[in-house]
Amino acid sequence: MRLTDIIVRELKAPKQGQKFYADDVFSGFGLRISQGGTKSFVLVHGPRRERVTIGRYPVITLAEARAEAKRRSAEIILGKFKPKSINFEDAKRKFLEACEVKNRARTVADYRRLLKRFPFGKTQLSQISRYDIAQRLDKLRKTPSEANHALVAIKVFFRWTERQGYLESNPCGALQAQQPVAARDRALSENEIAEVLRLALQQPYPYGPIVALLLLTGLRRGEVAAMRWSWIDLQNQTITVPSEIAKNHRRHELPFGELTLRVLQTVPNTGDLLFPASRSHVRGKVTTVFNGWPKAKASFDLKLTNVAPYTLHDLRRTFSSQLAALGTPIHVTEKLLNHVSGTLSGVAAVYNRYSYAAEMRSAVESYEARLERLISARI
């Protein structure tokens, strides 16, 4: 096909993937159209048929693209031009290395996990289409939350590759979340609390104590997994989560009662970490803290008889709901949850430096007394 301005303008996007229209005027030069309608001029060259993107239409015209293709072709023949080329696996490795410098360890771990949802391996970045990415996301349609997280991760990755000059057009720029994920509002009932806590107190280290601490303290899963003895003051019965571990980057000191103390006393002291990883290397990656969540939770939940499906984060919501049932003021609950939004935000947070330590301890003691009554009433 001899490409003309009219033909380039009128060519339609394919229903799936990408389509390349070769130009009869200059060998190797042509127009690539993606499923989303993006039109890019490219040059195909060499025995491996490598593709170099010249630029997007209509940012550059057909005449400009054809002239640039001839110039680059001449440079390739003379050995003066070597197009940048990188495959997905190498780009992913470089991306994660860059993230490790500026992002939190948890964020890097999330990117590493989510990018595994896109097993493009040694495929050149320029050969990955929007359709290829959409197909991978479609495999996650039964878990929309995971699909949305994966979409965010792959978008961040491809934006980074553009900034690095590895890619001229982002194949997933127009992709959107398949469906909104409804906010969870699950909190365990009193009967469910009693069953989960009783089982947690009976189950061996490490998962039993982890579940008990999640329910007793309202801490996040990652905060409990990373817990260290150096954070815990057994005499004053406080746990201090450092700012670099807390999700909101704010140091968090919370009191605990006798029931939590009994749980902590069941944890073996084999080093500073309460819950170190059972293996130092998992799938070739160095690990330090407990990370066997799916298997451990599945085994634990099999022993529950009257508890509806729940997530570990639902235990934090249950903690908050039970405090509300006890009449705990919302600002005290937010302090216990280490929330930075709500009643103690903005100007109020700047001027109100009162720690609410006494109120927090009173709330925790009332909460633990309530849990003691629940599990003793259902033995």
Side-chain angles (χ1 to χ4, degrees):
M1 175 188 294
R2 184 181 187 279
L3 294 179
T4 66
D5 290 327
I6 295 176
I7 290 175
V8 170
R9 185 175 63 248
E10 298 298 329
L11 283 173
K12 304 299 182 183
K15 293 182 179 181
Q16 293 183 345
Q18 299 177 337
K19 190 166 183 179
F20 178 71
Y21 295 91
D23 180 30
D24 291 342
V25 175
F26 184 73
S27 178
F29 174 69
L31 181 73
R32 180 182 64 209
I33 308 179
S34 69
Q35 181 183 356
T38 300
K39 297 178 180 180
S40 301
F41 295 110
V42 297
L43 173 65
V44 182
H45 69 93
R48 296 176 61 185
R49 309 302 292 163
E50 294 184 64
R51 292 190 179 188
V52 179
T53 301
I54 303 297
R56 283 191 182 184
Y57 173 83
V59 176
I60 64 172
T61 66
L62 171 62
E64 291 170 337
R66 189 179 278 140
E68 178 64 13
K70 290 179 180 179
R71 185 186 68 80
R72 292 198 184 190
S73 181
E75 289 185 345
I76 291 169
I77 293 171
L78 296 173
K80 294 181 179 181
F81 174 75
K82 185 176 181 180
K84 289 184 178 179
S85 181
I86 190 170
N87 63 52
F88 180 82
E89 199 63 36
D90 289 343
K92 183 174 73 171
R93 175 178 53 78
K94 291 177 180 290
F95 167 73
L96 293 173
E97 288 173 353
C99 289
E100 287 172 352
V101 175
K102 65 177 184 178
N103 295 109
R104 298 175 64 201
R106 174 63 183 272
T107 302
V108 178
D110 285 341
Y111 282 152
R112 181 175 286 110
R113 176 180 64 81
L114 292 166
L115 289 176
K116 288 180 180 178
R117 298 291 191 177
F118 306 93
F120 296 129
K122 298 295 183 179
T123 304
Q124 296 294 305
L125 291 181
S126 60
Q127 301 302 307
I128 299 172
S129 69
R130 186 178 306 165
Y131 175 75
D132 296 329
I133 297 167
Q135 286 289 91
R136 297 297 176 181
L137 292 170
D138 188 56
K139 295 180 182 297
L140 302 175
R141 61 184 179 276
K142 293 183 179 179
T143 53
S145 179
E146 179 74 357
N148 290 344
H149 289 316
L151 175 58
V152 170
I154 198 68
K155 282 188 171 184
V156 171
F157 167 76
F158 273 111
R159 283 198 298 268
W160 178 85
T161 63
E162 279 188 293
R163 292 195 299 270
Q164 298 301 309
Y166 297 139
L167 197 65
E168 292 195 26
S169 60
N170 188 339
C172 61
L175 289 174
Q176 297 180 349
Q178 297 179 1
Q179 63 184 76
V181 179
R184 290 186 61 86
D185 58 1
R186 168 92 162 101
L188 276 64
S189 68
E190 291 188 353
N191 286 333
E192 290 176 322
I193 293 170
E195 185 171 353
V196 169
L197 184 55
R198 284 177 54 219
L199 180 61
L201 295 174
Q202 296 166 2
Q203 290 299 293
Y205 172 89
Y207 194 71
I210 286 176
V211 173
L213 289 173
L214 288 171
L215 188 54
L216 286 165
T217 66
L219 287 171
R220 296 178 174 88
R221 188 182 83 169
E223 294 167 343
V224 170
M227 193 176 291
R228 296 174 178 269
W229 288 112
S230 53
W231 301 358
I232 301 171
D233 184 337
L234 292 174
Q235 183 175 356
N236 294 311
Q237 294 188 197
T238 61
I239 298 171
T240 301
V241 180
S243 59
E244 59 269 23
I245 299 297
K247 182 179 180 180
N248 54 23
H249 305 290
R250 289 196 177 191
R251 179 178 177 274
H252 179 37
E253 182 177 313
L254 72 156
F256 61 83
E258 294 300 316
L259 184 53
T260 302
L261 178 61
R262 295 205 299 270
V263 172
L264 290 172
Q265 289 171 340
T266 68
V267 177
N269 192 335
T270 58
D272 196 27
L273 284 170
L274 271 71
F275 305 107
S278 58
R279 293 178 292 168
S280 60
H281 289 76
V282 178
R283 295 182 181 177
K285 303 293 183 182
V286 177
T287 61
T288 56
V289 301
F290 177 83
N291 56 10
W293 301 104
K295 185 177 180 180
K297 186 175 186 298
S299 177
F300 182 89
D301 291 353
L302 281 175
K303 301 178 178 68
L304 299 173
T305 56
N306 296 300
V307 178
Y310 69 99
T311 69
L312 291 179
H313 194 75
D314 291 338
L315 301 183
R316 178 174 166 87
R317 192 176 296 104
T318 300
F319 174 86
S320 176
S321 299
Q322 288 297 306
L323 288 175
L326 289 165
T328 305
I330 185 62
H331 59 274
V332 176
T333 299
E334 289 183 340
K335 290 287 287 186
L336 286 166
L337 293 171
N338 197 22
H339 278 174
V340 295
S341 60
T343 58
L344 292 179
S345 61
V347 175
V350 173
Y351 288 98
N352 188 348
R353 295 301 185 184
Y354 181 58
S355 68
Y356 293 96
E359 291 85 348
M360 290 167 68
R361 185 168 295 280
S362 175
V364 165
E365 289 174 352
S366 297
Y367 173 65
E368 289 204 2
R370 184 184 185 90
L371 295 186
E372 292 271 23
R373 290 194 297 271
L374 289 176
I375 57 178
S376 62
R378 291 169 172 79
I379 292 178

